[in-house]
Amino acid sequence: EVLLQQSGAELVRPGSSVKISCKASGYTFTDYYMHWVKQRPEQGLVWIGRINPANGNTVYAEKFKSKATLTADKSSNTAYMQLSSLTSEDTATYFCTWGGFAYWGQGTLVTVSS
Amino acid sequence: DVVLTQTPPTLSATIGQSVSISCRSSQSLLHSNGNTYLHWLLQRPGQSPQLLIYLVSRLESGVPNRFSGSGSGTDFTLKISGVEAEDLGVYYCVQGTHAPTFGGGTKLELK
């Protein structure tokens, strides 16, 4: 069974950074891209970018190129997303998803507040 | 960016009613490899999205066959033949032919 386990909720200060994780199990981590998706409260889904865990190659949506940094650790089957220079606009639930959107993590709520 | 326009934004249905959701793309979603990477997701309240239909019309394992997808090029449709209570939530189309984008969502609620 494929499982994507994300790290817990974060409360962070404006201007700071946060790094969230997505640990994969039940499949070969390098078989597919890992995507990251943002969902603000009561709003729709927005694609942030994706990483190829096999070689670390990344592609970002234009609006997230200076906001998000995606990495992956093959040794631990874990993907990471770092978000920088946080503002209230970054308050959202962030999902990792794999296998052509077939498998989703449970989401990580990031709240940016002073 | 490819824009996916979903209609209607809200859908009210009774149990047993058949409904359809439209997803129109600003560009063709036919990939050079012959596949069309248009998929449908359902997000129930408080849950992560789940894949219902992939590659336009292929039913994901475990998804009831009252769900079906059709379309080509830029116009796609999700049909639910006989809505059940567990189908309530927000439906999204998503394309992966180009840099991925999601439709704005269609909220299915009980009439």
Side-chain angles (χ1 to χ4, degrees):
Chain A
E1 179 192 7
V2 175
L3 188 64
L4 300 178
Q5 184 65 41
Q6 295 186 228
S7 50
E10 301 269 6
L11 173 61
V12 294
R13 300 289 186 235
S16 68
S17 298
V18 68
K19 191 172 186 177
I20 60 181
S21 65
C22 171
K23 183 171 177 57
S25 60
Y27 68 92
T28 303
F29 185 54
T30 53
D31 272 358
Y32 287 96
Y33 298 146
M34 185 73 78
H35 298 263
W36 290 86
V37 175
K38 176 182 181 180
Q39 186 171 40
R40 297 191 68 195
E42 303 304 315
Q43 295 192 17
L45 304 170
V46 180
W47 183 73
I48 296 170
R50 59 91 169 151
I51 185 167
N52 182 345
N55 57 22
N57 286 348
T58 53
V59 175
Y60 298 91
E62 189 65 36
K63 66 181 292 185
F64 291 100
K65 283 184 176 178
S66 59
K67 172 63 65 177
T69 302
L70 306 183
T71 55
D73 179 358
K74 288 185 288 187
S75 68
S76 63
N77 286 356
T78 304
Y80 300 91
M81 178 173 67
Q82 179 165 318
L83 301 169
S84 61
S85 303
L86 293 165
T87 73
S88 59
E89 297 294 302
D90 300 313
T91 292
T93 296
Y94 294 87
F95 295 98
C96 57
T97 174
W98 180 89
F101 306 103
Y103 303 99
W104 292 72
Q106 82 275 24
T108 296
L109 175 62
V110 174
T111 303
V112 183
S113 175
S114 55
Chain B
D1 287 2
V2 173
V3 177
L4 298 181
T5 302
Q6 279 184 244
T7 54
T10 305
L11 198 48
S12 294
T14 57
I15 300 300
Q17 182 179 352
S18 292
V19 297
S20 293
I21 299 169
S22 170
C23 177
R24 290 188 170 176
S25 175
S26 61
Q27 298 180 35
S28 174
L29 300 182
L30 177 62
H31 194 277
S32 57
N33 66 11
N35 288 328
T36 298
Y37 295 93
L38 186 283
H39 321 303
W40 291 94
L41 310 170
L42 165 62
Q43 187 175 30
R44 296 186 177 96
Q47 295 186 17
S48 302
Q50 70 165 107
L51 182 65
L52 300 175
I53 301 281
Y54 64 99
L55 297 175
V56 179
S57 60
R58 300 184 187 184
L59 198 65
E60 175 69 354
S61 176
V63 174
N65 61 11
R66 63 179 178 273
F67 292 94
S68 62
S70 63
S72 63
T74 60
D75 287 345
F76 303 91
T77 301
L78 175 71
K79 182 177 181 179
I80 309 173
S81 300
V83 169
E84 298 193 6
E86 65 181 18
D87 301 337
L88 304 183
V90 181
Y91 290 81
Y92 295 96
C93 55
V94 53
Q95 66 81 22
T97 298
H98 311 280
T101 50
F102 294 87
T106 295
K107 185 176 183 179
L108 177 61
E109 52 190 26
L110 275 180
K111 188 180 293 183

